[in-house]
Amino acid sequence: MEIEGTKIVSLGQEPPSGAQVVDGRGGTLLPGLIDGHVHTSLEGLRLARVFGVTTELEMQGYWTPQQREEIDEDDGIADVRSALLGLMAKDGHPHELIARSGRAPARWRRLDAAVGLDP
C-alpha cells in the first residue's frame, strides 16, 4: 500500500524508489474506531486516541469555536461530532438536564438561551 499524506494512493504495487517501507508482517491494520455515544472533553478525546478511537459522537455536547479549532488542528486527539441538542418527548430524558430544572451546567444554560429555550 502506498500512502501520500493521509490518503492511500495505491495497493498491491511495488513501492516507488526511495519510499519508506514498513514491514507489517504479523500485525493487523485496522481503520480508526468510532465511539458512537460519549459525553467527553478535550482530555477524553486525547485518551480515546490512545485506544484507537479516531472519532467520537457526542451526545448533548457543546463545543466552542476555540475548542473546535483545537480539535481540528490536533492529530493527537480523536475528532468529535455532535448534533448539539438532544431530541426528546415532552418531559423525556434529558429534560432533567435542561436549564429549567436548575441543574444544567452553565454552558448548557448559555446554549439554551442562545436558541430561545431560556425559561
Side-chain angles (χ1 to χ4, degrees):
M1 166 179 15
E2 182 181 355
I3 300 173
E4 287 181 8
T6 61
K7 299 195 185 291
I8 298 171
V9 295
S10 70
L11 292 169
Q13 309 295 322
E14 286 295 316
S17 175
Q20 177 184 358
V21 177
V22 176
D23 185 353
R25 285 181 285 198
T28 302
L29 178 64
L30 293 175
L33 303 173
I34 297 174
D35 190 338
H37 185 132
V38 299
H39 305 276
T40 194
S41 63
L42 289 172
E43 187 54 38
L45 296 173
R46 198 170 318 286
L47 185 58
R49 192 60 190 264
V50 170
F51 293 102
V53 175
T54 58
T55 304
E56 292 194 334
L57 305 179
E58 170 72 55
M59 304 293 119
Q60 198 72 19
Y62 175 72
W63 298 92
T64 66
Q66 181 181 354
Q67 289 170 321
R68 193 64 244 177
E69 186 175 322
E70 183 176 343
I71 291 166
D72 291 343
E73 292 176 355
D74 189 344
D75 289 336
I77 63 176
D79 193 13
V80 65
R81 300 287 182 227
S82 175
L84 195 59
L85 296 174
L87 297 177
M88 65 189 140
K90 183 174 175 13
D91 295 328
H93 178 74
H95 87 280
E96 70 276 11
L97 302 176
I98 296 177
R100 289 176 280 246
S101 71
R103 295 183 298 181
R107 68 182 182 165
W108 291 359
R109 290 193 300 270
R110 289 190 307 272
L111 178 60
D112 286 348
V115 297
L117 295 176
D118 210 16

